[in-house]
Amino acid sequence: MRIPLCNLHLPSASIQEAEAALADGWISGTGPAITRFEALLAQKVKRRYAVAVTNGTHALEVALQALGVHQGDEVIVPALTFVSPAAAARQVGATPVFADVDENTWTINPFFLPITRHTQAIIGVDLLGHPVYWEHLEHIGREHAIDIIEDAAEAHGALYRGKPVGSFGFVSTFSFHANKTITTGEGGAVVLDGAYFNEQVRLIANHGMKPDKRYWHEVVGSNYRMNNVTAAIGVGQMANWDQQVAARNKVAECYDIELGDLLKQGDLRRRPVADFATEAVMLYTLTHPNRDKIVERLQKNGIDARPLWTALVDLPIYRDGVRGNYPVARRLAAEGFLLPTWAGMPYETIAEVANAVREAVTERMPVCSTSTPSA
Ligand SMILES: *Cc1c(COP(=O)(O)O)cnc(C)c1O
């Protein structure tokens, strides 16, 4: 693609830190960069503890395991998200049960949750840089004694009423995959406040082995450790976290301006931002009833626009978690699309993408089709 969806430029601090880690021989799942990365991350998102792990999907798995979620339990997840929350629930043996998302935030709708006596946890996803209705969801968690997990993988730097994502729920998780705002290539983290659960997460992530008793395995764990070189890449980005976030928001602002008149006309809509939210745009996202045609046109022009995810309730493997119709998630999945967005994306490139969107949107779309009668 001529214009990719994402384009990564690691800050030089990341390269220097990684080189130092390599030169020092710290290349496995213990080392000074891991400790520093965890401390910086915890501080940034206002948590007492952070545990660096292999990726954001494993972060969710470890969190669910630490909370004791297992077979027979239900975990409520939004119907519209990247698949990880549902997959993680399934990996620990639980059933992911879907809740629709809400029009104004595209995040889980706290007023229509399919809670049953089997519900052990609810995973709220700060979708594409927009926080969940955290006060409502946390309140429901307390009221029903259900653990609330925050999946902040797509929202580094977003705020809910001024408070950073990563600080909500009993435990939050991050991904540092290459297309996220802060990245280590592959990587993730679990962040939380409870000392006991911090120990549990570390135990599970490190073969279930007691830290002070080698080869004594307290629980069935696995190896979910981030490696020290990866952590070093992360350390190099912690100092310019705010700049990375601002840089993507700036791209979104430029798209808003370039597409301003079209966005006022109706059919083309931007992902909304609720009044309680300070967004941290991950990828600039729009909806349009003619999404498929528009994305096809953009792709033909060498622009790597992408349709939004399939609603998870439409994946046959997750059919057992469907409860109802999910009109919002299904509409957004059918109409949503992502535009190329990266920190430092040149203005001319943004303008070019915006112009291509304009052409695709204003092109007359076929509204009915005919076919040749067969002989
Ligand atoms: C990216 C992402 C994850 C985790 O991704 P990994 O690639 O496993 O790090 C989890 N949840 C959401 C919502 C994501 O977008």
Side-chain angles (χ1 to χ4, degrees):
M1 285 283 163
R2 206 162 40 79
I3 302 179
L5 185 69
C6 280
N7 204 346
L8 180 63
H9 287 286
L10 283 178
S12 56
S14 283
I15 295 160
Q16 282 160 18
E17 293 282 352
E19 278 176 353
L22 285 167
D24 294 344
W26 289 102
I27 59 168
S28 77
T30 43
I34 297 172
T35 314
R36 275 159 66 212
F37 183 55
E38 290 177 342
L40 290 166
L41 179 65
Q43 185 185 28
K44 187 73 200 169
V45 301
K46 301 198 188 319
R47 289 284 198 178
R48 282 177 65 198
Y49 305 103
V51 181
V53 296
T54 32
N55 59 59
T57 309
H58 285 165
L60 286 164
E61 270 179 53
V62 174
L64 288 165
Q65 277 181 62
L67 290 168
V69 175
H70 55 64
Q71 196 155 12
D73 293 340
E74 293 177 352
V75 177
I76 297 179
V77 304
L80 185 74
T81 170
F82 180 66
V83 73
S84 294
R90 190 51 71 68
Q91 288 293 351
V92 302
T95 304
V97 172
F98 300 100
D100 203 1
V101 296
D102 137 274
E103 288 277 359
N104 303 317
T105 64
W106 298 17
T107 66
I108 193 163
N109 187 332
F111 300 106
F112 296 96
L113 295 172
I115 293 172
T116 71
R117 65 195 169 85
H118 300 294
T119 308
Q120 284 300 319
I122 302 173
I123 304 178
V125 179
D126 301 308
L127 205 79
L128 295 162
H130 193 294
V132 166
Y133 290 92
W134 280 118
E135 267 163 272
H136 297 83
L137 207 60
E138 287 184 335
H139 175 77
I140 286 160
R142 283 191 299 272
E143 203 174 49
H144 296 265
I146 294 170
D147 291 316
I148 304 296
I149 299 173
E150 175 181 30
D151 180 352
E154 299 180 1
H156 313 73
L159 308 174
Y160 172 90
R161 297 198 194 284
K163 236 185 124 201
V165 304
S167 65
F168 296 96
F170 185 77
V171 40
S172 309
T173 61
F174 280 98
S175 164
F176 303 106
H177 180 263
N179 65 16
K180 315 289 187 190
T181 302
I182 304 293
T183 180
T184 60
E186 298 282 358
V190 179
V191 296
L192 73 176
D193 297 313
Y196 171 78
F197 281 94
N198 174 47
E199 295 304 320
Q200 290 302 301
V201 167
R202 287 185 184 280
L203 202 61
I204 292 163
N206 189 23
H207 304 290
M209 187 165 80
K210 277 202 88 159
D212 50 358
K213 198 169 173 188
R214 188 164 290 274
Y215 306 131
W216 185 259
H217 301 273
E218 195 90 338
V219 297
V220 180
S222 187
N223 179 356
Y224 292 114
R225 296 183 310 243
M226 178 181 275
N227 89 61
N228 190 67
V229 180
T230 300
I233 298 171
V235 168
Q237 267 164 76
M238 291 305 294
N240 72 353
W241 170 297
D242 292 345
Q243 287 100 300
Q244 296 282 348
V245 172
R248 289 205 192 206
N249 276 341
K250 186 71 200 172
V251 171
E253 209 179 288
C254 292
Y255 273 130
D256 283 344
I257 292 167
E258 286 293 316
L259 295 169
D261 55 328
L262 278 181
L263 291 170
K264 281 197 198 92
Q265 284 165 20
D267 275 351
L268 188 71
R269 298 220 175 117
R270 181 200 202 279
R271 189 279 306 283
V273 182
D275 58 1
F276 61 74
T278 306
E279 68 174 346
V281 171
M282 178 195 167
L283 292 163
Y284 190 76
T285 313
L286 297 163
T287 62
H288 193 285
N290 267 328
R291 189 271 311 272
D292 290 344
K293 286 265 156 42
I294 294 167
V295 170
E296 195 185 311
R297 273 289 295 264
L298 293 170
Q299 292 262 346
K300 267 200 199 120
N301 279 329
I303 296 168
D304 196 7
R306 306 248 179 109
L308 209 52
W309 317 282
T310 303
L312 300 183
V313 286
D314 289 326
L315 297 174
I317 51 168
Y318 291 116
R319 192 173 292 154
D320 57 341
V322 174
R323 310 277 186 274
N325 291 322
Y326 307 94
V328 183
R330 284 188 161 127
R331 184 180 66 76
L332 295 175
E335 298 188 351
F337 61 107
L338 311 162
L339 293 185
T341 309
W342 66 86
M345 187 175 176
Y347 182 72
E348 308 80 71
T349 313
I350 300 169
E352 187 185 335
V353 175
N355 279 335
V357 170
R358 176 181 307 280
E359 272 174 35
V361 167
T362 50
E363 182 192 30
R364 188 167 144 65
M365 302 282 177
V367 286
C368 78
S369 64
T370 55
S371 61
T372 314
S374 51

